Amino acid sequence: MIDIDDGADVDFARGTHDFLQWFQALPGATFHKDIKIVDMRHQDAGRGIIAAADIEPDTVLFTIPRASIICAATSELAAKIPHIFNAAPNNGAGSAHMDDSDEDEARPGPHDPWTLLILVLVYEHLQGRASRWKPYLDIVPFEFDTPMFWQPAELAGLQASAVVAKVGKGEADRMIREKILPVVRAHEHIFFPANGVNLADEQLVHLAHRMGSAIMAYAFDLEKEDYEDDQEGEDGDGWIEDRDGKTMMGMVPMADMLNADAEFNAHINHGGDSLTATSLRPIRAGEEILNYYGPLSSGELLRRYGYVTPKHTRYDVVELPWPLVENRLKERLLARQQQPNWEEKMAEQLTEAGEDFEDSFVLERASGEPDTTGQLHDDAVFDGLPDELGEQVKAFLKAAKKVTSNSLVVEALADKDTRNEIYLDSVLKALGDREGQYVTRLEDDARLISAADRPRGREQMAIWVRRGEKQLLREAQVWVAAKLDELRNKASGRRPGANEDAPSAKRRRA
């Protein structure tokens, strides 16, 4: 029985019906009788899969034969232009951005798994009815809400978020023009059917962007058959699907019908001949079946997949640029003293010391991991600054000692509590400066997002991302202020010469 949502509009429902009928006819494919594909566009989620009846744990929800996956190994394109595919390095998941070292390579290669999959999807799309994946390709979205497709005014809504600099539309456009277009133009007789329309360059670029975004949103890194054996020697995080360095990338029909959240109830298992979706815990009738994309921040979830969810806010991050901290350190150490050629002298000292400073530091909460049933139990709490930030401040002070005769610098290097006080005070002010880079206040965004007439769509997601980053900055300021007060109170009552350890901190991403 083919079960789809009766509430969908006719064209949407027909596309779903044709896809499901095609999928169930695949040799080796299964689709459980108690699940159904539904129209979730009212929730800005496209299609989704729900339980039509109660489902027990460890139930196989659907089975996807590997032969049905769209990838370089299954498309006939690889056999038609083998010199392109055979020259590609088998280095796991590739990048959409071409490295500068590629400039001297012969065009249009070398290709990585990312560009090869774009070529495959472009080819299969252009074949129309001749492609064996047509019913699947017909329901791949034409429009995406990833920031790659946002207008400048929409991107401005993200304000000071680091997501803006990571959109990479220019680099992706360059990659398409240098690695995709030349291949298509050199093999037009293969890409364009005899009775088809030959697309202009800009049309091909637009199509390649669409396919690249489809890969970003839906593709899986296909695992080696012996992955389960390899996993025993790893650190046990078996949930994250977008692992690097496994094998080729592929579009996996039906698996990408599952939406995903930070709490989830299903998992895709990779087998030798097939992939299976399995329930992790009881799923009640009407409940959505959800996959997991990993502990992604709201900004990263938006950048990769074009949506945000409340449960992912626990993983929000914000970048603290080093220049903000450095400026506050200089203000504290120099105390309005004129120091000629400070920057040049500091750069010389840091170079001599072999110091390679980070441009920014990632602040994040201790968030906990989902349990084996996909559920979260721990509160997400900001509990420390990155160790690397403290180490960089110490290296800065060592260089400053050789540049200035300021007694405070000497004292800071000799006394750990003095150094920590300068460190925390400077970071606290830098955190305030970082929050000030956003156009609106946290309170303004909170009112906007909770208003009855709140913005929708991309504007709402932009507010969600920037609000989450500001909230984390506030939590960091509260934590640092508390540690600073604790340190100052201790200093006012400690015995002379006491020298306690620095505030606790955990190793963080830089």
PDB file of all heavy atoms in Angstrom, residues 181-204:
ATOM      1  N   LEU A 181      31.438  23.820 -15.606  1.00  0.00           N
ATOM      2  CA  LEU A 181      31.133  24.299 -16.961  1.00  0.00           C
ATOM      3  C   LEU A 181      32.068  23.721 -18.025  1.00  0.00           C
ATOM      4  O   LEU A 181      31.597  23.258 -19.078  1.00  0.00           O
ATOM      5  CB  LEU A 181      31.183  25.831 -16.999  1.00  0.00           C
ATOM      6  CG  LEU A 181      29.879  26.581 -16.706  1.00  0.00           C
ATOM      7  CD1 LEU A 181      30.098  28.078 -16.824  1.00  0.00           C
ATOM      8  CD2 LEU A 181      28.774  26.137 -17.642  1.00  0.00           C
ATOM      9  N   PRO A 182      33.389  23.724 -17.818  1.00  0.00           N
ATOM     10  CA  PRO A 182      34.273  23.190 -18.860  1.00  0.00           C
ATOM     11  C   PRO A 182      33.995  21.725 -19.198  1.00  0.00           C
ATOM     12  O   PRO A 182      34.102  21.327 -20.359  1.00  0.00           O
ATOM     13  CB  PRO A 182      35.675  23.372 -18.269  1.00  0.00           C
ATOM     14  CG  PRO A 182      35.541  24.489 -17.304  1.00  0.00           C
ATOM     15  CD  PRO A 182      34.181  24.317 -16.711  1.00  0.00           C
ATOM     16  N   VAL A 183      33.650  20.928 -18.193  1.00  0.00           N
ATOM     17  CA  VAL A 183      33.361  19.518 -18.453  1.00  0.00           C
ATOM     18  C   VAL A 183      32.090  19.375 -19.284  1.00  0.00           C
ATOM     19  O   VAL A 183      32.036  18.601 -20.251  1.00  0.00           O
ATOM     20  CB  VAL A 183      33.225  18.733 -17.128  1.00  0.00           C
ATOM     21  CG1 VAL A 183      32.794  17.298 -17.394  1.00  0.00           C
ATOM     22  CG2 VAL A 183      34.542  18.750 -16.361  1.00  0.00           C
ATOM     23  N   VAL A 184      31.071  20.129 -18.917  1.00  0.00           N
ATOM     24  CA  VAL A 184      29.806  20.045 -19.666  1.00  0.00           C
ATOM     25  C   VAL A 184      30.004  20.520 -21.094  1.00  0.00           C
ATOM     26  O   VAL A 184      29.555  19.868 -22.048  1.00  0.00           O
ATOM     27  CB  VAL A 184      28.714  20.878 -18.962  1.00  0.00           C
ATOM     28  CG1 VAL A 184      27.429  20.864 -19.792  1.00  0.00           C
ATOM     29  CG2 VAL A 184      28.437  20.339 -17.558  1.00  0.00           C
ATOM     30  N   ARG A 185      30.696  21.626 -21.273  1.00  0.00           N
ATOM     31  CA  ARG A 185      30.888  22.174 -22.619  1.00  0.00           C
ATOM     32  C   ARG A 185      31.754  21.257 -23.483  1.00  0.00           C
ATOM     33  O   ARG A 185      31.546  21.149 -24.694  1.00  0.00           O
ATOM     34  CB  ARG A 185      31.520  23.565 -22.531  1.00  0.00           C
ATOM     35  CG  ARG A 185      30.571  24.633 -22.012  1.00  0.00           C
ATOM     36  CD  ARG A 185      29.347  24.755 -22.881  1.00  0.00           C
ATOM     37  NE  ARG A 185      28.378  25.731 -22.375  1.00  0.00           N
ATOM     38  CZ  ARG A 185      27.077  25.607 -22.494  1.00  0.00           C
ATOM     39  NH1 ARG A 185      26.568  24.537 -23.095  1.00  0.00           N
ATOM     40  NH2 ARG A 185      26.268  26.517 -22.035  1.00  0.00           N
ATOM     41  N   ALA A 186      32.707  20.577 -22.870  1.00  0.00           N
ATOM     42  CA  ALA A 186      33.565  19.673 -23.641  1.00  0.00           C
ATOM     43  C   ALA A 186      32.851  18.372 -24.002  1.00  0.00           C
ATOM     44  O   ALA A 186      33.329  17.625 -24.865  1.00  0.00           O
ATOM     45  CB  ALA A 186      34.829  19.363 -22.856  1.00  0.00           C
ATOM     46  N   HIS A 187      31.699  18.110 -23.357  1.00  0.00           N
ATOM     47  CA  HIS A 187      30.979  16.853 -23.602  1.00  0.00           C
ATOM     48  C   HIS A 187      29.483  17.118 -23.766  1.00  0.00           C
ATOM     49  O   HIS A 187      28.644  16.411 -23.213  1.00  0.00           O
ATOM     50  CB  HIS A 187      31.211  15.884 -22.437  1.00  0.00           C
ATOM     51  CG  HIS A 187      32.648  15.637 -22.129  1.00  0.00           C
ATOM     52  ND1 HIS A 187      33.359  16.418 -21.236  1.00  0.00           N
ATOM     53  CD2 HIS A 187      33.524  14.709 -22.607  1.00  0.00           C
ATOM     54  CE1 HIS A 187      34.606  15.974 -21.158  1.00  0.00           C
ATOM     55  NE2 HIS A 187      34.745  14.944 -21.978  1.00  0.00           N
ATOM     56  N   GLU A 188      29.165  18.135 -24.553  1.00  0.00           N
ATOM     57  CA  GLU A 188      27.754  18.498 -24.730  1.00  0.00           C
ATOM     58  C   GLU A 188      26.948  17.356 -25.328  1.00  0.00           C
ATOM     59  O   GLU A 188      25.766  17.183 -25.015  1.00  0.00           O
ATOM     60  CB  GLU A 188      27.635  19.748 -25.600  1.00  0.00           C
ATOM     61  CG  GLU A 188      28.145  21.012 -24.912  1.00  0.00           C
ATOM     62  CD  GLU A 188      27.874  22.258 -25.733  1.00  0.00           C
ATOM     63  OE1 GLU A 188      27.338  22.123 -26.854  1.00  0.00           O
ATOM     64  OE2 GLU A 188      28.192  23.363 -25.257  1.00  0.00           O
ATOM     65  N   HIS A 189      27.568  16.567 -26.187  1.00  0.00           N
ATOM     66  CA  HIS A 189      26.854  15.456 -26.812  1.00  0.00           C
ATOM     67  C   HIS A 189      26.468  14.385 -25.799  1.00  0.00           C
ATOM     68  O   HIS A 189      25.563  13.567 -26.059  1.00  0.00           O
ATOM     69  CB  HIS A 189      27.723  14.826 -27.905  1.00  0.00           C
ATOM     70  CG  HIS A 189      29.012  14.253 -27.392  1.00  0.00           C
ATOM     71  ND1 HIS A 189      30.040  15.035 -26.910  1.00  0.00           N
ATOM     72  CD2 HIS A 189      29.430  12.961 -27.274  1.00  0.00           C
ATOM     73  CE1 HIS A 189      31.040  14.252 -26.517  1.00  0.00           C
ATOM     74  NE2 HIS A 189      30.699  12.994 -26.727  1.00  0.00           N
ATOM     75  N   ILE A 190      27.127  14.392 -24.640  1.00  0.00           N
ATOM     76  CA  ILE A 190      26.797  13.438 -23.583  1.00  0.00           C
ATOM     77  C   ILE A 190      25.788  14.038 -22.603  1.00  0.00           C
ATOM     78  O   ILE A 190      24.813  13.375 -22.224  1.00  0.00           O
ATOM     79  CB  ILE A 190      28.075  13.015 -22.825  1.00  0.00           C
ATOM     80  CG1 ILE A 190      28.986  12.208 -23.755  1.00  0.00           C
ATOM     81  CG2 ILE A 190      27.732  12.218 -21.568  1.00  0.00           C
ATOM     82  CD1 ILE A 190      30.332  11.863 -23.148  1.00  0.00           C
ATOM     83  N   PHE A 191      25.988  15.273 -22.214  1.00  0.00           N
ATOM     84  CA  PHE A 191      25.121  15.884 -21.212  1.00  0.00           C
ATOM     85  C   PHE A 191      23.751  16.251 -21.765  1.00  0.00           C
ATOM     86  O   PHE A 191      22.748  16.135 -21.050  1.00  0.00           O
ATOM     87  CB  PHE A 191      25.794  17.129 -20.615  1.00  0.00           C
ATOM     88  CG  PHE A 191      26.789  16.815 -19.533  1.00  0.00           C
ATOM     89  CD1 PHE A 191      28.106  16.515 -19.851  1.00  0.00           C
ATOM     90  CD2 PHE A 191      26.412  16.795 -18.206  1.00  0.00           C
ATOM     91  CE1 PHE A 191      29.033  16.217 -18.857  1.00  0.00           C
ATOM     92  CE2 PHE A 191      27.328  16.502 -17.196  1.00  0.00           C
ATOM     93  CZ  PHE A 191      28.635  16.202 -17.531  1.00  0.00           C
ATOM     94  N   PHE A 192      23.692  16.714 -23.007  1.00  0.00           N
ATOM     95  CA  PHE A 192      22.415  17.173 -23.555  1.00  0.00           C
ATOM     96  C   PHE A 192      21.846  16.127 -24.506  1.00  0.00           C
ATOM     97  O   PHE A 192      22.504  15.769 -25.499  1.00  0.00           O
ATOM     98  CB  PHE A 192      22.594  18.500 -24.289  1.00  0.00           C
ATOM     99  CG  PHE A 192      23.037  19.628 -23.403  1.00  0.00           C
ATOM    100  CD1 PHE A 192      24.355  20.071 -23.423  1.00  0.00           C
ATOM    101  CD2 PHE A 192      22.156  20.235 -22.531  1.00  0.00           C
ATOM    102  CE1 PHE A 192      24.784  21.100 -22.606  1.00  0.00           C
ATOM    103  CE2 PHE A 192      22.570  21.265 -21.701  1.00  0.00           C
ATOM    104  CZ  PHE A 192      23.888  21.699 -21.738  1.00  0.00           C
ATOM    105  N   PRO A 193      20.635  15.603 -24.224  1.00  0.00           N
ATOM    106  CA  PRO A 193      20.014  14.635 -25.130  1.00  0.00           C
ATOM    107  C   PRO A 193      19.822  15.228 -26.521  1.00  0.00           C
ATOM    108  O   PRO A 193      19.721  16.458 -26.686  1.00  0.00           O
ATOM    109  CB  PRO A 193      18.664  14.346 -24.460  1.00  0.00           C
ATOM    110  CG  PRO A 193      18.846  14.747 -23.026  1.00  0.00           C
ATOM    111  CD  PRO A 193      19.813  15.886 -23.042  1.00  0.00           C
ATOM    112  N   ALA A 194      19.763  14.368 -27.528  1.00  0.00           N
ATOM    113  CA  ALA A 194      19.647  14.827 -28.920  1.00  0.00           C
ATOM    114  C   ALA A 194      18.421  15.696 -29.130  1.00  0.00           C
ATOM    115  O   ALA A 194      18.449  16.664 -29.891  1.00  0.00           O
ATOM    116  CB  ALA A 194      19.618  13.621 -29.860  1.00  0.00           C
ATOM    117  N   ASN A 195      17.338  15.378 -28.451  1.00  0.00           N
ATOM    118  CA  ASN A 195      16.110  16.154 -28.622  1.00  0.00           C
ATOM    119  C   ASN A 195      15.898  17.166 -27.504  1.00  0.00           C
ATOM    120  O   ASN A 195      14.799  17.700 -27.338  1.00  0.00           O
ATOM    121  CB  ASN A 195      14.910  15.206 -28.687  1.00  0.00           C
ATOM    122  CG  ASN A 195      14.796  14.346 -27.436  1.00  0.00           C
ATOM    123  OD1 ASN A 195      15.730  14.288 -26.642  1.00  0.00           O
ATOM    124  ND2 ASN A 195      13.660  13.680 -27.287  1.00  0.00           N
ATOM    125  N   GLY A 196      16.959  17.411 -26.720  1.00  0.00           N
ATOM    126  CA  GLY A 196      16.840  18.327 -25.598  1.00  0.00           C
ATOM    127  C   GLY A 196      17.299  19.728 -25.937  1.00  0.00           C
ATOM    128  O   GLY A 196      17.696  20.028 -27.072  1.00  0.00           O
ATOM    129  N   VAL A 197      17.231  20.615 -24.942  1.00  0.00           N
ATOM    130  CA  VAL A 197      17.625  22.014 -25.096  1.00  0.00           C
ATOM    131  C   VAL A 197      19.016  22.199 -24.503  1.00  0.00           C
ATOM    132  O   VAL A 197      19.296  21.771 -23.387  1.00  0.00           O
ATOM    133  CB  VAL A 197      16.621  22.950 -24.392  1.00  0.00           C
ATOM    134  CG1 VAL A 197      17.078  24.400 -24.507  1.00  0.00           C
ATOM    135  CG2 VAL A 197      15.227  22.758 -24.967  1.00  0.00           C
ATOM    136  N   ASN A 198      19.884  22.843 -25.266  1.00  0.00           N
ATOM    137  CA  ASN A 198      21.238  23.133 -24.799  1.00  0.00           C
ATOM    138  C   ASN A 198      21.198  24.406 -23.960  1.00  0.00           C
ATOM    139  O   ASN A 198      20.905  25.493 -24.468  1.00  0.00           O
ATOM    140  CB  ASN A 198      22.171  23.310 -25.999  1.00  0.00           C
ATOM    141  CG  ASN A 198      23.623  23.323 -25.588  1.00  0.00           C
ATOM    142  OD1 ASN A 198      23.967  23.881 -24.556  1.00  0.00           O
ATOM    143  ND2 ASN A 198      24.473  22.723 -26.397  1.00  0.00           N
ATOM    144  N   LEU A 199      21.488  24.289 -22.670  1.00  0.00           N
ATOM    145  CA  LEU A 199      21.395  25.429 -21.766  1.00  0.00           C
ATOM    146  C   LEU A 199      22.547  26.397 -21.972  1.00  0.00           C
ATOM    147  O   LEU A 199      23.671  26.003 -22.290  1.00  0.00           O
ATOM    148  CB  LEU A 199      21.395  24.950 -20.317  1.00  0.00           C
ATOM    149  CG  LEU A 199      20.262  24.003 -19.888  1.00  0.00           C
ATOM    150  CD1 LEU A 199      20.401  23.684 -18.402  1.00  0.00           C
ATOM    151  CD2 LEU A 199      18.897  24.601 -20.172  1.00  0.00           C
ATOM    152  N   ALA A 200      22.258  27.674 -21.766  1.00  0.00           N
ATOM    153  CA  ALA A 200      23.291  28.706 -21.795  1.00  0.00           C
ATOM    154  C   ALA A 200      24.144  28.599 -20.532  1.00  0.00           C
ATOM    155  O   ALA A 200      23.767  27.950 -19.554  1.00  0.00           O
ATOM    156  CB  ALA A 200      22.653  30.084 -21.890  1.00  0.00           C
ATOM    157  N   ASP A 201      25.292  29.268 -20.542  1.00  0.00           N
ATOM    158  CA  ASP A 201      26.214  29.161 -19.410  1.00  0.00           C
ATOM    159  C   ASP A 201      25.558  29.558 -18.094  1.00  0.00           C
ATOM    160  O   ASP A 201      25.712  28.863 -17.075  1.00  0.00           O
ATOM    161  CB  ASP A 201      27.443  30.042 -19.647  1.00  0.00           C
ATOM    162  CG  ASP A 201      28.443  29.391 -20.588  1.00  0.00           C
ATOM    163  OD1 ASP A 201      28.171  28.268 -21.057  1.00  0.00           O
ATOM    164  OD2 ASP A 201      29.490  30.010 -20.856  1.00  0.00           O
ATOM    165  N   GLU A 202      24.841  30.687 -18.078  1.00  0.00           N
ATOM    166  CA  GLU A 202      24.236  31.144 -16.829  1.00  0.00           C
ATOM    167  C   GLU A 202      23.173  30.179 -16.340  1.00  0.00           C
ATOM    168  O   GLU A 202      22.985  30.001 -15.127  1.00  0.00           O
ATOM    169  CB  GLU A 202      23.663  32.553 -16.990  1.00  0.00           C
ATOM    170  CG  GLU A 202      24.711  33.626 -17.215  1.00  0.00           C
ATOM    171  CD  GLU A 202      25.817  33.578 -16.154  1.00  0.00           C
ATOM    172  OE1 GLU A 202      25.486  33.544 -14.954  1.00  0.00           O
ATOM    173  OE2 GLU A 202      26.999  33.577 -16.531  1.00  0.00           O
ATOM    174  N   GLN A 203      22.461  29.550 -17.255  1.00  0.00           N
ATOM    175  CA  GLN A 203      21.484  28.536 -16.856  1.00  0.00           C
ATOM    176  C   GLN A 203      22.164  27.322 -16.242  1.00  0.00           C
ATOM    177  O   GLN A 203      21.681  26.752 -15.257  1.00  0.00           O
ATOM    178  CB  GLN A 203      20.641  28.119 -18.074  1.00  0.00           C
ATOM    179  CG  GLN A 203      19.718  29.209 -18.601  1.00  0.00           C
ATOM    180  CD  GLN A 203      19.036  28.783 -19.899  1.00  0.00           C
ATOM    181  OE1 GLN A 203      19.703  28.405 -20.864  1.00  0.00           O
ATOM    182  NE2 GLN A 203      17.709  28.852 -19.905  1.00  0.00           N
ATOM    183  N   LEU A 204      23.300  26.940 -16.814  1.00  0.00           N
ATOM    184  CA  LEU A 204      24.044  25.818 -16.264  1.00  0.00           C
ATOM    185  C   LEU A 204      24.613  26.158 -14.885  1.00  0.00           C
ATOM    186  O   LEU A 204      24.619  25.311 -13.982  1.00  0.00           O
ATOM    187  CB  LEU A 204      25.185  25.428 -17.207  1.00  0.00           C
ATOM    188  CG  LEU A 204      24.823  24.491 -18.365  1.00  0.00           C
ATOM    189  CD1 LEU A 204      26.004  24.356 -19.319  1.00  0.00           C
ATOM    190  CD2 LEU A 204      24.407  23.119 -17.834  1.00  0.00           C
TER     191      LEU A 204
END
